[in-house]
Structure formats: C-alpha cells, structure tokens
Amino acid sequence: MSILEIRNVSTGYGEVQILWGTTLSLEEGKLTCLVGSNGAGKTTTLRTVMGLLKPWEGQVFFDGKDVSRLPAHAKAEMGLVLVPEGRQLFTDMTVEENLEMGATPRHARLHYAQNLERVYEMFPRLKERRSQKAGTMSGGEQQMLAVARGIMAEPKVLMIDELSLGLAPVLVLGLFETLRELKKLGITILLVEQNVQMALAVSDYGYVLAEGKVALQGPARELMEDEHVRAAYLGL
Amino acid sequence: MDFILASLADGLLLGFIYGIAAMGLTLIWGVMNVINLAHGPIIALGMFTVYLLFTFLGIPPYVGVLLAAVFGLLLGIIIYLIAVQGVIDAPHLSSLLATFSVNMIIIGIGTAIFSTSPRNIDLQLWSVSLGPVTLQGTRVVASLIAVLVTAALYYFLYRTRQGKYIRAVANNRAAAELVGIPSNRVLALSFGIGAMLATIAGALIATFLPFNILAGGTYELKSFVIGVLGGLGNPVGALVGGLILGLLEGIVPTFTQTTWVPVIEFVLFVIILLVRPNGLFGGEQ
C-alpha cells in the first residue's frame, strides 16, 4: 500500500519550472531512494512534498489524504518529516533542545523520554554532547543530530535529503546502518542521495529523476543492473 | 558626594525598568527581525492602563500593572496579526513602515482622547534611608518587579516548551516549521510578549513619574541604546544594558546638565555600533 504519493506534480521557483509532472509513490515500510544528477529536481520534490513549496499542478497524497496545500508544520504533525539538506539545526540551542524540538508533534511528545533514550542508543556521541550547542559540533555530528531530530518526531515517513554529503566514508557507513535500523522500526523512508551506489544498495525501490521527471524506476536491485544507470550514475 | 550617591541610586533603580522595556524591543527583533517602531506608544499605553484603572475604578496600581501586562500581550498579538504578519517576509522597510503606522495611530488616538497634558498617579509608599541615600518605595518595588519579570522571561524562554519554540523560531524559522512548530503562531506570541514587556515597563514607570501619551518615545530610544549595549535578543543582556544606562543617567547629571544625557547616550550608541555591532554581551552572530 502506498503511504505517500506524488501525482503529476509540476512546480518551480518564480518563473523557473523545475518539476515537470513528477509522479512517484512510496510503499509503506519500505526504503525508497530518489537519485539523479544535480538539478534534476530531487530537493525540489522533497520541498514540495513537505509543503515548503506549493505545487503549481498535481497533488500530494499522504496516508490517503490530499495534503498538497498543507503547511509544513501540519505535515510534521501528521507524521511526514523531512531531514533537510544542509541540516538546518537550531544552532544556538543545545543538542538535547534540538531533539526536544524534534519531538514537537503531539504523538511524539507522549513518548519523548523513551524516544530520547533510543536516539541516544543509536548515537552515543549525541548523548556525550547533549548540553553542547548544536552549532559547535563537527559536520558528522551535526548530520547525526539532524537525523536524530527527525526520528524524535516519530515519523510515519522520514524523508532525508543528502544523507552523506560532505561526510567522511566511515560516518557515511554508520548513517546508512542507521537507515536499516529505522526500517526495522517500521518507518517508511525516502532517501535522496548523491552516492547512488550506496543508496541503491540499501534501498528496496528506486526512482531516477532527470530534468524534473521520473526517467526510470524499479526495484533497487534491478536498477543497479540497468545499463543506463550503470553508465550514467555509477560510472561503470 | 551625597548627591552623587543619591543620583546613582535613582539611576540604577530606573535602569531595571529600562531593562525590561528594552527586552520587549529586542525580543521582537531577535525573533522576527522586525524593529517595532510602535514600542514607545505601547509603553505609554501601559502607563495609561494603570492610570485609568486607578483613577476611575480605584484599582490599586500594582494590580493595574498585572492588568496592563495582560492588555499588552493581547494588544501585541492583535498588532502582529493586523500590521506585521503580512510584511514579515518583506524587506525591513515594509515592517518599519507598518509598525511606524501603528505608532502614529496610537499616538493620534491617544492625543485625541487624553490630550498631551501630563498625568500622574499620586502613589505614596514608604521610603528607606541608607545613610545619605533615600530610596523611594515606589522605585524599589518597581525595580524588584522588573527583576522578577526578567527571571520569569528567562525561565519561560529556556525552561518551557513554548519558550523554546520562540527560541527555535528565532534561530531557524524554516527548521521550526519542519519539526512541526506553527511558526506564525509563535511569531504572534513573541510579538505579544514583546508588547507585554513594554506595557509592564510603562505601567511601572507610571507609579513614580509623570507621563503623557508621548512619554513612551524616550523609553523607546533608550531601548535601542540598551539593545545594542546588551546584544539584541538577549534578556539578561538587556537587563545589564538597562542598568548601565541607568547608572550613566545617574552619573551624568552630577557633573553637567541633564540635557546632555541623551547626547552622551547616543554617542555611546554609535561607538558601540562601530566597535561591537553585536553588542557588548552579544558574542556570536
């Protein structure tokens, strides 16, 4: 069953159209990745789903409801959460305050203590730095916090924009491992990723976006075998 | 020497109240990057609230302060919804003009109703003598209330969820939306609290100084100076800034005419802006 569906969405910034009728759908409990070259519209897709950008045409359905016109905070309340590109932490607030803010949706507030414990188990480093201001941490730690803050919202669908960007390979492996754990918890994940190989390796299903449209889609394993994907994105 | 001490004590006590007036201005700036040019008239409305409640209904001035606070909160929210909300993402000039219009409207209506003749609440409390210095009870009580208000604001911003929402929206409004914080509602509340601090300051001043509908302007200007002294958006910094300004006002009249006070204050303002644009205590930015 699809929990999130983007139907024929076109949008852009000002006069510049970025998405030209993008259609994709996420199956509940699965990890789906969205790959494509720079400027293909990956981030724009996530921003539109989240409500930071309004669709010019088309609709976004979440949990069976048309949420195309809802503001971002209402979607977070419903369980649709975005870990944005560039992390967007509350840099002047402490690590723990960031996590507390992550738990703003009502259902997440009820389980705050146990979610906090779980997140600290996943990322012991964050526990060590709980009283430190988020802005003073290293890039890798900030990315952990961004993901952890997303988890604190107890999302039904967690969308992650550029999980690995600018991080050391060791950290990237750790974060991808975290994705597997999240999937086990039953969270549906939409991953946007530059590192196509790794993204396809952990995903169940994949979409390749090109020039604002879905160019190719299929089970991640099949995409990895696809001649075109191998040539264009995997450099093989 | 005695005169200097007395003047310093008066200045210091007044400084606490300058501090909360400035907190109101800097809170709004810190959260939404809007300079509230209606700050002065809102302070004056706080003065009139206490005055009218006392004069016509016989409500004790300190109860009046509480009611003025509630009035300020509601007024601020209404001003935000009507005049500020629509221009919040526009360039600064738009919000300056919007709040300036509110400023003119309040002063216009206020002048029509109350004229500009001076009013005062004849409130007599005890006074304490410490050697050569006599402290008026009204001023002591007012500064104690100001300290309490500062502590309450600090507690609210750092220990409560609603307060943390305000800090989160101030820090990164887009991120706040993403985690589910309804940022527009938080902005309205912040504007309300900013206005509430202004009416409390005005209400407290009215318990010991005469005033009219234009009287808030002076305190608005002082709030700007204190804002850059203490760093915009920092309640404790604003209190310390208020005390520094109060002390300065206590010292200056001991060696020259009082009319020099604003000159010196604004020279200070310009110097700080040039040397430490984030304020004396506003470290990072």
Side-chain angles (χ1 to χ4, degrees):
Chain A
M1 201 197 108
S2 98
I3 185 160
L4 181 71
E5 205 182 332
I6 301 155
R7 242 183 248 168
N8 245 323
V9 166
S10 297
T11 189
Y13 303 90
E15 300 282 296
V16 187
Q17 185 164 355
I18 308 281
L19 296 185
W20 300 77
T22 304
T23 296
L24 48 99
S25 106
L26 303 194
E27 204 175 322
E28 192 161 6
K30 297 284 195 237
L31 204 166
T32 305
C33 70
L34 183 59
V35 298
S37 50
N38 272 333
K42 299 177 305 245
T43 296
T44 307
T45 304
L46 296 191
R47 290 174 59 87
T48 311
V49 171
M50 201 58 209
L52 296 172
L53 206 60
K54 296 271 174 279
W56 296 350
E57 274 169 51
Q59 286 112 25
V60 178
F61 290 90
F62 175 63
D63 229 356
K65 287 181 271 294
D66 184 349
V67 295
S68 316
R69 304 273 144 195
L70 285 185
H73 67 85
K75 287 179 178 153
E77 184 71 45
M78 294 170 75
L80 181 58
V81 172
L82 171 66
V83 175
E85 191 183 9
R87 297 164 201 134
Q88 303 282 351
L89 297 174
F90 302 114
T91 48
D92 294 339
M93 299 173 84
T94 66
V95 168
E96 194 151 306
E97 281 174 332
N98 269 272
L99 295 173
E100 191 184 343
M101 293 297 98
T104 296
R106 213 159 291 138
H107 58 277
R109 244 179 285 169
L110 294 176
H111 310 135
Y112 175 66
Q114 75 206 59
N115 286 344
L116 189 66
E117 202 175 319
R118 185 161 73 196
V119 159
Y120 279 153
E121 251 167 54
M122 281 179 176
F123 305 103
R125 192 85 65 88
L126 294 182
K127 190 172 187 178
E128 287 165 31
R129 315 228 151 182
R130 65 209 289 178
S131 318
Q132 195 174 324
K133 276 193 183 172
T136 64
M137 296 198 301
S138 73
E141 288 163 343
Q142 292 197 18
Q143 187 66 33
M144 281 179 206
L145 181 56
V147 174
R149 188 180 66 183
I151 298 170
M152 290 300 292
E154 249 182 43
K156 285 187 190 141
V157 172
L158 184 64
M159 302 187 287
I160 305 177
D161 198 356
E162 300 295 2
L163 184 65
S164 72
L165 195 68
L167 298 184
V170 187
L171 286 172
V172 176
L173 281 174
L175 283 167
F176 273 94
E177 205 41 59
T178 309
L179 290 185
R180 286 214 174 92
E181 285 178 50
L182 293 178
K183 217 184 101 175
K184 272 184 219 147
L185 293 171
I187 301 175
T188 310
I189 301 172
L190 177 58
L191 177 68
V192 161
E193 191 42 68
Q194 296 269 337
N195 188 335
V196 178
Q197 190 150 19
M198 285 199 82
L200 287 174
V202 294
S203 299
D204 301 300
Y205 200 83
Y207 287 90
V208 178
L209 212 58
E211 290 166 2
K213 263 186 275 207
V214 174
L216 210 60
Q217 61 171 299
R221 211 161 296 161
E222 283 174 27
L223 285 181
M224 277 224 270
E225 306 294 315
D226 186 275
E227 287 299 320
H228 173 74
V229 173
R230 288 169 74 88
Y233 303 104
L234 300 177
L236 298 171
Chain B
M1 190 60 204
D2 290 0
F3 168 63
I4 296 178
L5 282 178
S7 176
L8 271 180
D10 265 359
L12 193 65
L13 289 179
L14 207 52
F16 284 102
I17 297 154
Y18 291 168
I20 53 171
M23 266 170 236
L25 190 78
T26 71
L27 181 79
I28 291 173
W29 167 259
V31 176
M32 61 196 94
N33 282 10
V34 167
I35 292 176
N36 178 18
L37 288 181
H39 195 62
I42 296 173
I43 292 174
L45 287 179
M47 297 168 168
F48 272 89
T49 307
V50 175
Y51 169 79
L52 295 172
L53 289 172
F54 178 64
T55 314
F56 294 105
L57 301 173
I59 292 173
Y62 292 113
V63 178
V65 171
L66 199 66
L67 294 171
V70 175
F71 169 69
L73 181 67
L74 297 176
L75 178 72
I77 292 173
I78 292 169
I79 292 175
Y80 174 81
L81 293 177
I82 294 176
V84 181
Q85 177 176 234
V87 291
I88 194 90
D89 293 320
H92 280 171
L93 184 61
S94 308
S95 59
L96 275 176
L97 290 174
T99 55
F100 185 67
S101 310
V102 174
N103 166 83
M104 296 310 287
I105 291 168
I106 297 176
I107 286 181
I109 297 174
T111 309
I113 299 176
F114 306 117
S115 80
T116 52
S117 53
R119 315 280 173 140
N120 73 74
I121 297 168
D122 223 357
L123 181 63
Q124 298 294 333
L125 287 184
W126 37 267
S127 58
V128 235
S129 294
L130 300 166
V133 181
T134 303
L135 300 176
Q136 277 178 280
T138 43
R139 288 185 186 233
V140 175
V141 172
S143 44
L144 284 177
I145 293 176
V147 173
L148 280 179
V149 168
T150 310
L153 180 68
Y154 191 86
Y155 181 86
F156 176 71
L157 290 176
Y158 286 85
R159 294 281 176 271
T160 70
R161 193 166 253 281
Q162 284 300 323
K164 287 177 189 177
Y165 286 167
I166 291 182
R167 286 169 51 225
V169 169
N171 193 178
N172 188 335
R173 195 173 147 207
E177 274 285 318
L178 287 181
V179 299
I181 299 171
S183 60
N184 197 46
R185 211 184 306 162
V186 172
L187 291 179
L189 177 68
S190 310
F191 206 97
I193 293 173
M196 178 178 82
L197 290 164
T199 53
I200 294 174
L204 291 175
I205 292 166
T207 61
F208 58 84
L209 285 177
F211 57 89
N212 65 9
I213 191 71
L214 303 172
T218 329
Y219 302 100
E220 179 175 332
L221 291 177
K222 290 183 202 300
S223 298
F224 281 120
V225 181
I226 295 165
V228 298
L229 258 175
L232 288 162
N234 173 351
V236 178
L239 188 71
V240 177
L243 292 180
I244 293 175
L245 204 69
L247 278 177
L248 198 72
E249 290 186 10
I251 293 168
V252 172
T254 62
F255 62 84
T256 179
Q257 282 158 324
T258 320
T259 44
W260 280 93
V261 169
V263 179
I264 293 172
E265 280 173 1
F266 278 88
V267 167
L268 187 72
F269 180 78
V270 172
I271 291 173
I272 295 169
L273 275 184
L274 289 175
V275 182
R276 297 220 41 176
N278 292 335
L280 289 184
F281 312 104
E284 73 245 69
Q285 183 62 256

